[in-house]
Amino acid sequence: MTRIRSAVTAVDRRSFLTATGAVGVSAGIGLALGAGGGPGEAAAAPGVTAAPSVPGPRGPAAPATPIRAVPARTTLETVAAPRDSAAAFRRLGDGPGWRRVVRESLAAPRPGRAQRRTVLSSFVQLTDLHLVDVQHPVRTEYLRSQQLSGWRPQEALTVPGAVALIEQINALKAGPATGAPLSFAVTTGDNTDNNSRAELDWFLTVMSGGRISPNTGDLQRYEGVQNSDERLFWHPEDSRRDTDKRLGYPRIDGFLAAAIRSVNSPGLRIPWYSTVGNHDGLASGAMADPSGFLAEFAVGAKKLYGIPDAEAKQLLKLLSKGGDPNGEKLIDLLRRSKRAMRSITADPRRAPFGPREYLTAHLDPERAGAGPAGHGYTAANLDDDTLYYTFPMGENVTGISLDTTDRGGHYTGSLNTAQLTWLKRKLAEHRDGYVVIFSHHNSWTMTNTHPDPAHPGEARHNGDEVLALLKRNRNVLAWVNGHSHRNSILPHGSFWEISTASHIDFPQLARVIEITDNGDGTLSLFTTLIESAAPHRTDFEDLSQTGLAALYRELSHNAPGSTTAPSGKSTDRNTELLLSR
């Protein structure tokens, strides 16, 4: 019999958590794209509001306005919280909001600044959406036998959850600190989870508007671990006990049919920019398979649901250290486990995509939505095989979007020499203005300096080197990133590093950032966290699109291994960050 181990600091399928000081490091296992960099110069965001979204090619457009009235709320007003924290399965409701904290590490606040300030930029950061094809053959859910968080019950609902976040951003319209209209949104990577073309299609449609069918394989029914009869996973549609029902998870008839039902996204009403993450770059978010085996297996008709405990323990230990950058050990396991596999419906949409396909999909005019064309990427990125660029954020403020994934494998990040040289040049070009850096990895998870096999003679540069460069350039105001699935804000002498929690793990947040000149030699960066538009209270009988988005949050709150750590401290949430200039 399989033995289950529960751990708070679990290594999960997408987020191999590694202790790094007081902050956990997440990365993962699930296919994605490939890294590099490129000297693209993105088109300007066209104003504050935008034209109606253009749908993707897979179905009719979503309604031009949200289906329901959405309150323009932030976590200043209320945050989802358990109504009975002692219950086995904690139902959520409206909890108290998080107050704004003024942080004075880099400058002292001066009286009267609220009356003097002018707004330089106002935008929204989304990160780690991890839109998941839960039926994908390369997923390693079987590692749950060793770590309960190796598979999470909310994963089937990532698409309606992401759409509810889009609805909330559309409803918000203006920054909560300044009242200035939101000018744009930016993702900071791990937009997809398994590096499948289907997930990339879902992501672009969620962001730009249209209808999404979050289903692959058999178009009429779900094929995956939740109806596999493997009691290691939550089976919502039967009454027999499984791992999660022992923890209080409910029976919800019709859940699986609802989870693969079409979802309508209104698309963002503001321009949006895209940054790439390791799950948008590597097989399982960590492996660069040169053999092509995993790509072939992804589109095939076999899936592995369970492996012996000893095999799971060994593979988990290896992957948690990023010790299989070419996927050799996983491939060996799959080759040896053919007899244990089950038949599923093959689907070419599960094929992985490479950097060129990722760029081409973003540049598709049908994905333009509210703009800009390419969402930061340009034809120059295609020509140069790069995934980095600059874009205008407001008067005298420039955004620099980096590609921190090493195409040679591993879930931690770094920059190659070509991109670091490009970054130095861009910082010098904008020395008379202000700069905000965007990336997927944060400074403390950029530790992968293994050479890229495609460029064996080119060095890789870690987070300390990037920090040193940014500190030498006082035009840098902030470095905005994700990856660790938790909120963290760190002062770095002359700028702030702002890392935001994911939208797949509780508390499922995005962040509004407003930059102001206080007219007194200081700047303020206001950060305000937002949840999706889904109501805090759930109804197990409500399997509508909105009901599923609410359930997505509540399931994530109750996921084995879930803690309050991703919320961060009060100083990592709603803040005013002072800078001297």
Side-chain angles (χ1 to χ4, degrees), residues 461-475:
H461 303 274
N462 64 24
D464 288 340
E465 292 179 81
V466 177
L467 281 177
L469 171 63
L470 300 184
K471 288 178 181 179
R472 293 196 298 270
N473 289 266
R474 285 189 57 81
N475 53 340

Side-chain angles (χ1 to χ4, degrees), residues 252-451:
I252 303 179
D253 292 324
F255 176 91
L256 295 177
I260 61 174
R261 193 173 58 219
S262 292
V263 174
N264 285 330
S265 174
L268 281 171
R269 300 278 187 258
I270 53 178
W272 62 273
Y273 295 88
S274 185
T275 298
V276 68
N278 55 294
H279 277 266
D280 306 315
L282 296 168
S284 298
M287 292 177 281
D289 170 25
S291 72
F293 177 90
L294 294 178
E296 183 177 354
F297 190 77
V299 301
K302 294 292 183 180
K303 182 174 173 64
L304 184 61
Y305 289 81
I307 60 176
D309 279 359
E311 293 264 26
K313 182 178 181 179
Q314 183 179 19
L315 183 61
L316 179 64
K317 182 178 180 180
L318 182 70
L319 294 179
S320 67
K321 297 178 179 179
D324 193 20
N326 290 330
E328 295 174 357
K329 299 300 183 183
L330 178 60
I331 291 170
D332 179 62
L333 171 68
L334 294 173
R335 290 186 187 277
R336 290 186 287 103
S337 303
K338 288 184 177 179
R339 291 188 177 182
M341 293 180 184
R342 304 185 194 181
S343 295
I344 59 172
T345 304
D347 194 333
R349 294 178 299 152
R350 292 176 177 147
F353 53 85
R356 189 168 187 84
E357 292 166 293
Y358 186 79
L359 289 168
T360 301
H362 279 76
L363 289 163
D364 183 348
E366 293 198 25
R367 304 298 196 179
H375 304 292
Y377 301 115
T378 67
N381 293 112
L382 277 173
D383 293 340
D384 298 333
D385 187 27
T386 59
L387 288 166
Y388 45 85
Y389 60 89
T390 67
F391 66 100
M393 295 177 55
E395 186 175 354
N396 211 29
V397 184
T398 299
I400 299 181
S401 176
L402 301 177
D403 171 15
T404 55
T405 304
D406 184 346
R407 296 185 192 183
H410 204 286
Y411 54 81
T412 56
S414 58
L415 297 182
N416 60 10
T417 298
Q419 186 175 183
L420 185 67
T421 301
W422 173 87
L423 176 59
K424 292 177 181 177
R425 186 170 70 250
K426 293 302 174 184
L427 290 172
E429 288 175 5
H430 297 282
R431 66 170 63 89
D432 295 327
Y434 296 124
V435 170
V436 177
I437 307 296
F438 296 91
S439 71
H440 178 62
H441 293 90
N442 34 49
S443 62
W444 60 92
T445 58
M446 291 181 64
T447 58
N448 177 16
T449 56
H450 299 296

Side-chain angles (χ1 to χ4, degrees), residues 89 153 234 244-251 554-556 558-560:
F89 186 92
W234 177 47
D244 298 289
K245 290 199 187 78
R246 292 189 186 99
L247 300 174
Y249 270 73
R251 174 175 177 172
E554 189 163 281
L555 294 177
S556 73
N558 287 278

